[in-house]
Amino acid sequence: MTRAVKALAPSNIAFLKYWGKSDTTRQWPANDSFSMTLAQCRTETMARPFAGSDHVVQLNGTTISRGTASGAKIFKHLDYLAERLRFSDRLAITTHNLFPTGCGIASSASGLAALTLAAVGAWSESTSLDELESKDLSRHFLADLARMGSGSAGRSLFGGYVQWERGATPEEQDFRPLHGADHWRLADTIALVSSAEKAVSSSSGHSVAATSPFFAIRQSGLTERRDAMLAALTARDLATLGTYLETEALEMHAVMATMTPAACYILPQTEAVIATVRRLRRDGLQAYVTLDAGPNVHIISTQEDQPILVRHLQELHPDLGLLLDHVGPGPELLPVEENARA
Ligand code: DP6
């Protein structure tokens, strides 16, 4: 039996945003969030037990160590998982993003979800999600482990549309799959405005979010917005969902831009793409924008309208890179053949 496993975990795009934590150590979000799991933007991670003094990690072809900025989050999460699950084997890990590297979609959601699945799979000698489940390593438990590496990674453990509920205490926070991918075939067309490394990481941004004078105002309206957005999602009402989607993303960026220190992710071309989408909408195309902690624009439409949207974007912004994605089924865990080992 092989003990090398491969995890494929998707990224997700939040419709209702997680921005700010009530407790950083316990990764307790300040508010509920929900997202659409993507199909194409995925991270592939292979893991196998390894007889060495420390884990060996290769990220997008480069060996990284504990001391480096990119290694810190990965090694910290491996240490957390090993301690919580009482596994002591060192692991050899190879991980790479299946979306173009350096395109500015540095997804900690897919990365930390894939790392969690691959490491737990290798340690527990499990080569499928069903096998993990049969060993009391349920999808909910894995999501809980993944969110300790990166909050948004917990949502990537499920396909379709997924809510992260804050709960009344850190122990009560939980992930709730809302609808499968078949509920509504929405597309995410990602306009690649900049591939530069972001100056302020999400994690450091979360820690100062509450310094924005708009943070408390945002929080006070989020329950009502969440309920309206969830009702629109259930009813497949894109005009209503999309209107909230834009307000939500721009409000989060207003908080980001007014925190101390501030994080201003929106660039002139971000604004230009938003203006284009709004103009196309006035001409009858149902497309709405949302943004993560970065300048790239996620344009949400139905999958049927995606080709029309892409044609317009290519005409109006010929130099803009586009990634075409859509709602997806969630992560996978597979055995690795001998000759393809990490
Ligand atoms: C803007 O999950 O990357 O994408 O928990 O500190 O790792 P950490 O933060 P992260 O934050 C994601 C923030 C966001 C909104 C969202 O995905 O909900």
Side-chain angles (χ1 to χ4, degrees):
M1 181 195 195
T2 177
R3 289 188 69 199
V5 295
K6 172 162 91 177
L8 281 160
S11 185
N12 65 74
I13 177 69
F15 288 0
L16 187 72
K17 308 291 181 180
Y18 151 49
W19 194 249
K21 304 182 194 190
S22 300
D23 183 328
T24 303
T25 317
R26 287 185 286 179
Q27 282 285 78
W28 189 31
N31 57 270
D32 285 10
S33 58
F34 79 89
S35 55
M36 176 170 90
T37 298
L38 298 177
Q40 307 292 343
C41 291
R42 292 185 296 170
T43 299
E44 181 182 86
T45 302
M46 290 197 258
R48 65 179 164 84
F50 159 81
S53 58
D54 200 355
H55 308 295
V56 174
V57 179
Q58 260 204 25
L59 173 66
N60 293 322
T62 308
T63 302
I64 52 166
S65 60
R66 278 185 181 271
T68 60
S70 49
K73 208 163 185 164
I74 296 176
F75 279 91
K76 186 171 169 228
H77 193 52
L78 286 171
D79 292 345
Y80 167 79
L81 293 173
E83 196 185 321
R84 180 147 169 207
L85 301 172
R86 298 181 198 288
F87 287 116
S88 53
D89 278 351
R90 301 297 167 194
L91 298 176
I93 290 181
T94 309
T95 184
H96 62 274
N97 293 330
L98 298 177
F99 39 94
T101 47
C103 72
I105 310 276
S107 181
S108 64
S110 59
L112 272 293
L115 181 68
T116 303
L117 265 180
V120 177
W123 276 321
S124 68
E125 299 186 43
S126 310
T127 54
S128 70
L129 284 162
D130 286 345
E131 203 180 337
L132 285 173
E133 182 93 46
S134 73
K135 294 175 183 169
D136 274 347
L137 297 161
S138 72
R139 197 81 76 104
H140 277 274
F141 180 62
L142 294 164
D144 191 56
L145 295 176
R147 63 109 194 164
M148 291 303 289
S150 186
S152 54
R155 297 190 309 243
S156 282
L157 261 290
F158 302 90
Y161 302 88
V162 187
Q163 186 174 0
W164 184 15
E165 296 174 336
R166 174 184 191 269
T169 63
E171 291 69 37
E172 284 168 286
Q173 59 72 40
D174 202 4
F175 294 88
R176 177 197 289 265
L178 297 166
H179 301 281
D182 288 342
H183 169 69
W184 200 7
R185 311 300 300 178
L186 288 180
D188 180 8
T189 305
I190 308 167
L192 302 170
V193 166
S194 167
S195 58
E197 177 92 11
K198 51 185 168 192
V200 181
S201 74
S202 294
S203 297
S204 44
H206 281 293
S207 66
V208 294
T211 63
S212 162
F214 300 127
F215 183 77
I217 301 170
R218 165 171 167 72
Q219 291 296 318
S220 68
L222 277 181
T223 303
E224 203 180 317
R225 183 177 298 157
R226 177 202 64 198
D227 291 347
M229 291 179 81
L230 289 177
L233 177 68
T234 302
R236 301 184 196 88
D237 174 355
L238 189 52
T240 303
L241 180 68
T243 305
Y244 282 113
L245 200 64
E246 291 196 352
T247 307
E248 170 62 2
L250 294 173
E251 184 180 275
M252 178 181 72
H253 278 266
V255 169
M256 291 164 161
T258 51
M259 307 178 309
T260 307
C264 298
Y265 298 106
I266 292 181
L267 297 175
Q269 215 187 349
T270 312
E271 302 272 17
V273 174
I274 296 173
T276 293
V277 173
R278 289 183 165 168
R279 200 167 65 242
L280 293 173
R281 203 156 66 227
R282 281 198 295 275
D283 295 342
L285 186 69
Q286 287 276 294
Y288 298 85
V289 303
T290 186
L291 307 160
D292 264 344
N296 297 319
V297 188
H298 292 252
I299 309 168
I300 308 298
S301 68
T302 60
Q303 270 181 250
E304 299 82 73
D305 280 347
Q306 192 175 35
I308 310 167
L309 171 68
V310 168
R311 215 171 45 239
H312 285 299
L313 289 169
Q314 283 169 340
E315 240 169 65
L316 295 163
H317 301 274
D319 298 331
L320 193 64
L322 296 176
L323 273 184
L324 274 49
D325 214 333
H326 54 269
V327 63
E332 286 177 83
L333 183 67
L334 310 156
V336 176
E337 302 309 322
E338 281 295 317
N339 57 6
R341 279 187 165 197

